[in-house]
Amino acid sequence: MKKAELSYLVEDRARIAVRVTPKASRNEVMLREGQIRIQTTTAPENGKANKAVLKLLADALGIAKSRLELIQGATSKDKVFQING
């Protein structure tokens, strides 16, 4: 997915649900059947995969990482992020 391709979703306090696949063969953000799916090569240990997903999602949305907050699913494949500011 191109940088800022999901920018139409950016709205203050908007919540974005994603499905994550850690330890994938490549880093990728895709939109399938209306759901955002993120694949990351990072292993899910000590929050490393969450940080990688945060960066990939921020790039796809075209916003700074600091504007995203993980509000649900820190240890789950299904996560919810909130856009702040």
Side-chain angles (χ1 to χ4, degrees):
M1 183 167 283
K2 296 178 184 176
K3 189 171 185 160
E5 192 166 334
L6 297 176
S7 62
Y8 64 91
L9 297 173
V10 177
E11 187 176 309
D12 190 33
R13 311 299 281 173
R15 293 183 177 196
I16 299 174
V18 299
R19 175 77 175 195
V20 176
T21 303
K23 294 181 9 180
S25 60
R26 61 183 164 179
N27 291 319
E28 184 177 28
V29 178
M30 60 195 113
L31 192 58
R32 281 201 186 145
E33 300 171 7
Q35 183 181 36
I36 298 171
R37 295 179 179 250
I38 300 177
Q39 295 180 334
T40 180
T41 58
T42 308
E45 47 191 43
N46 301 321
K48 291 178 185 177
N50 286 338
K51 289 178 184 177
V53 168
L54 183 83
K55 181 182 182 327
L56 290 167
L57 183 58
D59 284 346
L61 292 168
I63 61 174
K65 293 184 303 186
S66 60
R67 291 188 59 196
L68 282 177
E69 176 185 3
L70 177 61
I71 60 171
Q72 186 178 352
T75 59
S76 172
K77 288 186 175 188
D78 294 310
K79 302 181 183 304
V80 178
F81 290 89
Q82 179 170 296
I83 299 172
N84 297 316

